[in-house]
Amino acid sequence: MLSEEVLKAVFPLLDGVDLAVCMVVCKQWRHMAQDDYFWKCVCAKRWPSICKRPNSHTVTYYRIYRTFYKRQRPQTLLPPRLSFDDLEFFIDIWNEDELVFSEVVPGPVLQTGIKFLPTGICNTLKFHLESPEYKMTLPVDPRFNIPWGDTVSISVLVERKDSNKVACIINKSLFDYIDRSASRALAFEYLNFSPNYPFISGIRAWISLLFLEDGDDGIIDVFGIEMDFRNTASSKDE
């Protein structure tokens, strides 16, 4: 009798795993641990509001715990389903209505980036391009010039070579933000995801023109293009 009183005092203090272990010790412990009061104590620690339900419910707290408790197991991330080797990017840039850049860029080229920076770039841009944050950059060859004040727009499509499926990343977005201190003109587009993911929003794809200023002539000399998904991805795998 004394041992039962001790168990009745100890069982409410246990978590669900330990209480379940007690059920396999012996018949006496199993019989006592099946008392739904003890399982109500366990559920009250994990889900306090569940104990506010009307007493007319027939589902036991032991059943509730077994239904909703899952032991957390470490999960390994699956490898990326896409590789840069599977992608081709179609980049078109207009100055007013004149097409000034149009290239099909293989994914590995965009991934490789700009190996040799031109002389004369500002320190802020140099620091940005040499920082460890993941970027996708492309040298512009031959370079093109744009007068200050002109309307410049860009479109970017991407194709999966293994399936021939094409998606739009940027659709005639304007470079309407120019950071002269960093020698970058920026445009962006909000990404449209599948209707199967209605809660994903506000993720932008960014495109930057990297340029040098050509003296006092009001001309920017574009030597590179940068693309990133800074709202959601900061590494190659992402």
Side-chain angles (χ1 to χ4, degrees):
M1 183 66 68
L2 181 60
S3 63
E4 288 188 3
E5 295 302 321
V6 173
L7 294 177
K8 288 180 180 179
V10 172
F11 280 179
L13 306 178
L14 303 179
D15 61 20
V17 174
D18 291 335
L19 188 58
V21 171
C22 292
M23 294 179 70
V24 299
V25 172
C26 63
K27 290 183 178 180
Q28 180 191 15
W29 283 35
R30 179 179 178 82
H31 176 73
M32 291 191 60
Q34 285 180 331
D35 190 323
D36 210 41
Y37 168 74
F38 301 134
W39 291 101
K40 181 177 181 179
C41 294
V42 171
C43 291
K45 296 174 185 177
R46 293 182 63 90
W47 313 288
S49 59
I50 195 67
C51 297
K52 298 179 181 179
R53 64 189 186 134
N55 293 328
S56 58
H57 285 269
T58 58
V59 180
T60 65
Y61 287 100
Y62 177 57
R63 179 80 174 272
I64 291 174
Y65 183 85
R66 289 187 60 185
T67 301
F68 295 108
Y69 173 78
K70 292 182 179 179
R71 183 183 296 274
Q72 299 297 322
R73 295 184 175 88
Q75 297 181 354
T76 56
L77 295 177
L78 296 175
R81 290 178 293 175
L82 280 177
S83 166
F84 273 92
D85 294 336
D86 299 326
L87 302 178
E88 283 187 334
F89 295 84
F90 304 86
I91 303 176
D92 299 295
I93 301 176
W94 292 266
N95 179 18
E96 304 294 349
D97 293 326
E98 179 186 357
L99 185 65
V100 294
F101 182 88
S102 182
E103 292 289 343
V104 179
V105 184
V109 173
L110 192 61
Q111 180 186 359
T112 301
I114 303 174
K115 294 183 178 180
F116 304 103
L117 298 178
T119 57
I121 66 173
C122 69
N123 291 332
T124 303
L125 179 57
K126 183 178 180 181
F127 176 80
H128 169 76
L129 294 175
E130 292 179 346
S131 68
E133 294 180 357
Y134 189 74
K135 304 175 183 67
M136 294 176 286
T137 55
L138 174 73
V140 172
D141 186 22
R143 300 182 187 180
F144 59 87
N145 295 332
I146 298 175
W148 284 109
D150 282 11
T151 300
V152 183
S153 59
I154 184 169
S155 292
V156 180
L157 305 179
V158 61
E159 179 185 29
R160 290 188 59 166
K161 294 188 293 183
D162 56 343
S163 65
N164 293 324
K165 292 182 178 180
V166 179
C168 180
I169 300 178
I170 303 285
N171 186 21
K172 273 283 191 166
S173 293
L174 299 178
F175 290 98
D176 51 6
Y177 175 71
I178 298 178
D179 184 357
R180 295 188 68 168
S181 64
S183 299
R184 298 168 67 206
L186 294 91
F188 71 87
E189 180 83 54
Y190 285 99
L191 299 178
N192 292 320
F193 285 83
S194 165
N196 295 328
Y197 302 92
F199 302 108
I200 298 180
S201 62
I203 296 179
R204 291 178 285 187
W206 288 86
I207 294 286
S208 302
L209 295 182
L210 313 176
F211 62 83
L212 302 168
E213 291 197 50
D214 189 8
D216 298 325
D217 297 332
I219 301 292
I220 62 174
D221 178 17
V222 178
F223 69 86
I225 298 170
E226 177 186 352
M227 181 166 60
D228 68 61
F229 303 92
R230 68 185 72 176
N231 295 117
T232 186
S234 57
S235 69
K236 171 187 172 183
D237 289 344
E238 289 176 338

